[in-house]
């Protein structure tokens, strides 16, 4: 990746709706050259997908929960079952396997506490050892923008 690729990504990340013409103008290049760069970045996997971000609260999903899970089973059969369960639950947005005291961390959005209880009831089908939930009271920062290029991580 060169400087133009990085600048292109910095433009696209916060607003994937920008047209190729708008991007090309901002980069000072032709539309076809810009489009080729975008395709190259998609083919290489740098651009994974383009999405529309929605407001959970406006969709009635007003409660964000982080679920910490510890398990006493560390085998492939259990791991496969766990993956199957979390993939099947619509409100679960992110799942991470961790090193340290917590084995898995899940981020989910639900309607309310009753919605969390329904999610929890589905989740425990995975035969969990210890489940702890933390509920978001205030979202201070949420972004999907990754730092690209020198100095980018220092400012946002």
């Amino acid at each position: 990746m060169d400087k133009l690729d990085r600048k292109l990504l910095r433009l696209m990340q916060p607003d994937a709706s920008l047209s190729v013409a708008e991007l090309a103008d901002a980069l000072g290049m032709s539309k076809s050259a810009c489009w080729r760069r975008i395709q190259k970045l998609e083919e290489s996997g740098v651009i994974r997908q383009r999405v529309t971000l929605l407001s959970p609260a406006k969709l009635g999903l007003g409660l964000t929960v982080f679920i910490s899970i510890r398990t006493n089973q560390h085998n492939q059969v259990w791991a496969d079952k766990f993956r199957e369960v979390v993939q099947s639950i619509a409100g679960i947005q992110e799942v991470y396997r961790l090193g340290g005291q917590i084995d898995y961390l899940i981020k989910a959005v639900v309607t309310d506490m009753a919605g969390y209880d329904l999610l929890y009831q589905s989740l425990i089908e995975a035969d969990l050892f210890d489940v702890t939930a933390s509920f978001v009271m205030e979202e201070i920062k949420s972004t999907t923008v990754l730092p690209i290029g020198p100095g980018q991580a220092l400012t946002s």
Side-chain angles (χ1 to χ4, degrees), residues 7 11 14 30 33 40 49 73 82-83 90 94 129-130 142-143 153:
K7 186 172 182 183
L11 291 168
S30 71
K40 183 179 126 192
Q49 68 187 94
Q73 300 186 51
F82 178 74
R83 288 175 197 274
E94 301 173 32
F129 171 66
D130 183 25
S142 176
T143 183

Side-chain angles (χ1 to χ4, degrees), residues 31-99:
K31 288 190 289 188
S32 59
C34 184
W35 178 242
R36 282 193 301 274
R37 281 183 180 268
I38 293 169
Q39 287 180 313
K40 183 179 126 192
L41 291 165
E42 287 176 336
E43 289 166 5
S44 69
V46 172
I47 297 175
R48 292 189 318 184
Q49 68 187 94
R50 297 186 230 178
V51 299
T52 300
L53 299 176
L54 307 176
S55 167
K58 300 242 184 219
L59 294 169
L61 300 167
L63 184 61
T64 300
V65 58
F66 288 90
I67 306 162
S68 303
I69 295 174
R70 290 186 330 154
T71 180
N72 58 4
Q73 300 186 51
H74 298 278
N75 60 69
Q76 196 59 49
V77 172
W78 181 88
D80 290 344
K81 175 65 175 171
F82 178 74
R83 288 175 197 274
E84 179 184 314
V85 168
V86 296
Q87 291 291 339
S88 72
I89 301 173
I92 292 178
Q93 293 187 295
E94 301 173 32
V95 180
Y96 301 96
R97 187 168 59 92
L98 307 175

Side-chain angles (χ1 to χ4, degrees), residues 62-63 65 110-120 133-135:
L63 184 61
V65 58
V110 293
T111 53
D112 51 21
M113 195 57 72
Y116 169 70
D117 188 49
L118 289 172
L119 184 140
Y120 174 80
S134 297
F135 302 94

